[in-house]
Amino acid sequence: MLDRIRAIADHLTPRLIEIRRHLHSHPELSGQEYQTAAYVAGVLSSCGLKAQELVGKTGVIAELPGTGERADFLALRIDMDALPILEKAPLEFASQKPGVMHACGHDIHTTVGLGVAMVLAELGVPLPGPLRFIFQPAEETAQGARWMVADDVMAGVAAIFGVHVYPSVMGGDIGIRYGALTAAADDLEINIVGESGHGARPHEAIDAIWIAAQVITTLQQAISRTHNPLRPVVLTIGQIQGGRAPNVIADHVRMTGTVRSLHPDTRRELPGWIDDVVAGVCQPFGAKYEVSYRPGVPGVMNDPALTQLLEQCARGVCGDDHVQVIGEPSLGAEDFSVYLEHAPGTMFRLGIGTPGTPNHPLHHPKFEANEVAIATGVTTLAYAIVRYWETFQVSLPEQGQTAHDSKAA
């Protein structure tokens, strides 16, 4: 079966590269993926799949029916959106939209998802259960997964696969991670309210800028002294606004940032901890404050049984020397985690690096992807999908439960 999948994927590779380059040249921002969605739906329809557009606002779903008794869906999630970045990579197929770029590899993801559909359609082997393709918008704003879930794309789904490119993993290689893959990402806003005054007489005012500086410094210092260092937390203030003139003491400062954490218990404690730290700085100097902590997306926690299946399939496709078991999670975020609130799943790293080149990181204006990754991703996922039903004779348990009902092949 693997040999047939590989042969079809290799035959389709020139067409898949054309698809990828079209998508790269025509990027669309989060929530604006109308042309991308239409293009995706057209390719899916050409494979004989009935595509449904305008799901989750600008998403697309399609289903490959199963012929067995299994009614539970296996799902494959693919994200489609680009970033507001001016492309500086010297590509013949560079973005035709100034200021918009596929700098996170979602054009590769979309191509891989379409490639899996094309391979399975051409394979002609009936699957024991149904497969749902989820082409999601707005991953970069961490909204798209919730939009899709709100439109019931996880109804009947027993398990879900996801993929994300990684520049530090070489093209043709696969990175597998057991357990936590990414961090929870929450939004933070802090407002400091002081009293305005003349810049020459600070004792007559309450300097919101100075106090804000103390808040930032204290938060960063306190993290290292009050949190378990084996449970990492990253707090970054990325934006600060305040003041009206050089000689006027500011009476208001607004700061916004992001908070990343890996452990649920730590995440639950963070809002109260931040509030206490800010209060401890502001109150002695008479300043008022307001802390707004908005939960974002949880961390991606890969299901062990599905991850083991994916690792076995990756080793069969790539060979042992081209499969890495990743030892540490990323403090980046991925709204694939939203789907994991409804079914167990796993996401892997698809290598796109090229030996001997800089391999710029994700979200970089010179980001490039080694297109050899496309066939690797398509073959690995198609093979894992075919193997899924023979590996799990019954549905996987709900996320967070044990996998004692799952039967390994």
Side-chain angles (χ1 to χ4, degrees), residues 215-301:
V215 166
I216 294 172
T217 300
T218 304
L219 283 170
Q220 300 299 343
Q221 292 174 337
I223 284 175
S224 67
R225 307 323 312 160
T226 62
H227 281 288
N228 184 343
L230 299 179
R231 295 190 170 189
V233 175
V234 171
L235 189 158
T236 297
I237 299 297
Q239 188 178 47
I240 184 166
Q241 299 169 320
R244 292 186 294 274
N247 61 344
V248 177
I249 290 175
D251 62 354
H252 178 254
V253 170
R254 175 178 178 267
M255 299 179 284
T256 57
T258 183
V259 185
R260 308 296 174 102
S261 58
L262 288 173
H263 292 266
D265 289 345
T266 300
R267 188 186 186 199
R268 282 189 290 270
E269 296 168 357
L270 283 168
W273 177 83
I274 292 171
D275 195 278
D276 289 345
V277 171
V278 176
V281 174
C282 291
Q283 289 172 356
F285 303 109
K288 298 178 181 179
Y289 73 95
E290 181 181 66
V291 174
S292 176
Y293 192 101
R294 295 179 294 276
V297 295
V300 171
M301 184 66 66

Side-chain angles (χ1 to χ4, degrees), residues 20 38 129 141 149 199 214 230 232 255 382:
R20 184 261 165 156
T141 59
V149 168
Q214 303 307 308
L230 299 179
M255 299 179 284

Side-chain angles (χ1 to χ4, degrees), residues 119-346:
V119 166
L120 293 178
E122 189 170 332
L123 189 63
V125 175
L127 299 176
L131 173 66
R132 180 174 294 154
F133 293 90
I134 301 173
F135 287 87
Q136 176 203 308
E139 187 278 331
E140 296 295 353
T141 59
Q143 296 175 294
R146 297 201 187 280
W147 295 347
M148 298 298 279
V149 168
D151 274 356
D152 294 327
V153 302
M154 290 300 287
V157 171
I160 186 166
F161 287 134
V163 57
H164 204 296
V165 298
Y166 219 54
S168 62
V169 177
M170 293 300 101
D173 290 4
I174 295 287
I176 300 292
R177 167 71 187 170
Y178 286 85
L181 177 70
T182 66
D186 300 325
D187 296 324
L188 176 65
E189 179 177 334
I190 302 173
N191 284 276
I192 308 296
V193 180
E195 291 183 8
S196 186
H198 197 291
R201 293 187 287 276
H203 59 290
E204 296 176 356
I206 300 175
D207 189 341
I209 287 180
W210 176 75
I211 293 172
Q214 303 307 308
V215 166
I216 294 172
T217 300
T218 304
L219 283 170
Q220 300 299 343
Q221 292 174 337
I223 284 175
S224 67
R225 307 323 312 160
T226 62
H227 281 288
N228 184 343
L230 299 179
R231 295 190 170 189
V233 175
V234 171
L235 189 158
T236 297
I237 299 297
Q239 188 178 47
I240 184 166
Q241 299 169 320
R244 292 186 294 274
N247 61 344
V248 177
I249 290 175
D251 62 354
H252 178 254
V253 170
R254 175 178 178 267
M255 299 179 284
T256 57
T258 183
V259 185
R260 308 296 174 102
S261 58
L262 288 173
H263 292 266
D265 289 345
T266 300
R267 188 186 186 199
R268 282 189 290 270
E269 296 168 357
L270 283 168
W273 177 83
I274 292 171
D275 195 278
D276 289 345
V277 171
V278 176
V281 174
C282 291
Q283 289 172 356
F285 303 109
K288 298 178 181 179
Y289 73 95
E290 181 181 66
V291 174
S292 176
Y293 192 101
R294 295 179 294 276
V297 295
V300 171
M301 184 66 66
N302 282 337
D303 177 83
L306 288 169
T307 305
Q308 184 179 45
L309 169 64
L310 199 57
E311 181 185 355
Q312 291 171 352
C313 293
R315 291 187 185 279
V317 171
C318 306
D320 291 344
D321 292 342
H322 296 282
V323 176
Q324 306 174 22
V325 177
I326 300 171
E328 296 179 348
S330 166
L331 287 176
E334 237 293 350
D335 72 356
F336 180 72
S337 59
V338 173
Y339 301 104
L340 302 184
E341 296 177 326
H342 302 271
T346 190

Side-chain angles (χ1 to χ4, degrees), residues 61-75:
I61 63 169
E63 294 175 0
L64 190 63
T67 58
E69 297 180 356
R70 294 282 294 272
D72 52 308
F73 280 89
L74 173 63

